[in-house]
Amino acid sequence: MRRSDIEEIEALLDDDPREALSLASRIVDETPDDPDGWAWRAEAQIALGQAENALKSLAEYVQRDPEWIEAYTMRAVLLTELARFDDAHVEVEVARAIDSEDPRLQRAEAVWHELQGQFPEADKLYALAAEGDPGLYPAPPRFDRPRAQAAILKVLREIAKDGLKLQPIFQEVPTPGPTKGGKLLTRALELRDKSTVVVYLRNLERELDDESQIEDLAEVFEDCLAELVEAN
């Protein structure tokens, strides 16, 4: 891939992921044997929440470059989000055979454990990933639950002044099971009905790094809630 194409896709991923996908798809059509085009296509699909399509793009990548560990760890996380834990474990084992100490592997394993409710195991792996590459893989914070809930309730009280009144139900992560309608296990919030929002605290925390404060958690919650309300 040309450096100019890479820079353009990187810029588009945050601002216009649909255009990033369009550009990556054109590159794939023009040079289908270049694995990097498939990787960027997968990145754009992930940004758009297209987990199944991203899995296919990453499968195309590994056919062309079977030694890139990140393709397997990305697939492991995507399969975990889809509650396909056994399939995710296969990807983890392939990645382990390439490099058992790669922080990308440890982070993927952490998510695999976490979304099955195995929190102590997840936290150990987050710590290992952070030790291996703290800049890219910081361990997410774990806030005191009463403080975290109080911070979110404060946001909801402020929002209620503008007419949106919601009662929260606090959970750690969604209950594992078949995912339908695009509801991945990594979702941070879920509107149960017009007056109830389910808050998945572990998934909110994973959006932060180990230097984040409780105010950062409240801000992430507010941003996620605004996106959820707009989508509904």
Side-chain angles (χ1 to χ4, degrees), residues 125-192:
L125 287 159
Y126 282 130
L128 282 174
E131 183 179 330
D133 194 335
L136 286 177
Y137 303 101
R142 298 305 184 205
F143 294 111
D144 174 76
R145 286 302 178 249
R147 286 186 68 217
Q149 293 177 14
I152 288 168
L153 286 168
K154 182 179 178 181
V155 172
L156 289 174
R157 285 195 297 270
E158 290 298 316
I159 291 173
K161 295 176 183 178
D162 296 324
L164 180 61
K165 297 182 180 181
L166 291 170
Q167 281 293 116
I169 295 174
F170 293 105
Q171 295 183 25
E172 294 299 319
V173 295
T175 302
T179 59
K180 298 179 181 179
K183 291 185 177 181
L184 301 179
L185 293 183
T186 46
R187 62 192 185 274
L189 307 176
E190 184 174 0
L191 288 176
R192 184 155 294 179

Side-chain angles (χ1 to χ4, degrees), residues 31-202:
T31 55
D33 292 330
D34 182 354
D36 289 342
W38 292 101
W40 285 110
R41 191 169 190 247
E43 291 278 8
Q45 289 164 333
I46 290 169
L48 291 166
Q50 300 175 6
E52 294 284 5
N53 290 337
L55 285 170
K56 294 174 184 176
S57 293
L58 290 168
E60 293 286 348
Y61 185 104
V62 297
Q63 286 186 26
R64 295 157 176 82
D65 180 4
E67 295 301 314
W68 188 46
I69 191 171
E70 192 165 351
Y72 301 104
T73 59
M74 288 171 68
R75 280 178 56 84
V77 171
L78 289 168
L79 289 163
T80 299
E81 291 178 331
L82 293 165
R84 293 166 57 183
F85 299 115
D86 290 342
D87 292 338
H89 184 67
V90 171
E91 303 291 334
V92 163
E93 290 305 310
V94 175
R96 196 189 314 282
I98 297 171
D99 185 352
S100 62
E101 297 183 0
D102 193 296
R104 291 169 291 188
L105 168 63
Q106 293 154 352
R107 183 81 178 196
E109 285 189 283
V111 176
W112 187 83
H113 282 288
E114 188 156 77
L115 292 181
Q116 295 178 85
Q118 300 164 4
F119 304 129
E121 296 90 340
D123 282 342
K124 290 177 184 177
L125 287 159
Y126 282 130
L128 282 174
E131 183 179 330
D133 194 335
L136 286 177
Y137 303 101
R142 298 305 184 205
F143 294 111
D144 174 76
R145 286 302 178 249
R147 286 186 68 217
Q149 293 177 14
I152 288 168
L153 286 168
K154 182 179 178 181
V155 172
L156 289 174
R157 285 195 297 270
E158 290 298 316
I159 291 173
K161 295 176 183 178
D162 296 324
L164 180 61
K165 297 182 180 181
L166 291 170
Q167 281 293 116
I169 295 174
F170 293 105
Q171 295 183 25
E172 294 299 319
V173 295
T175 302
T179 59
K180 298 179 181 179
K183 291 185 177 181
L184 301 179
L185 293 183
T186 46
R187 62 192 185 274
L189 307 176
E190 184 174 0
L191 288 176
R192 184 155 294 179
D193 52 47
K194 292 182 178 180
S195 61
T196 308
V197 60
V198 184
V199 182
Y200 299 112
L201 290 169
R202 286 281 193 169

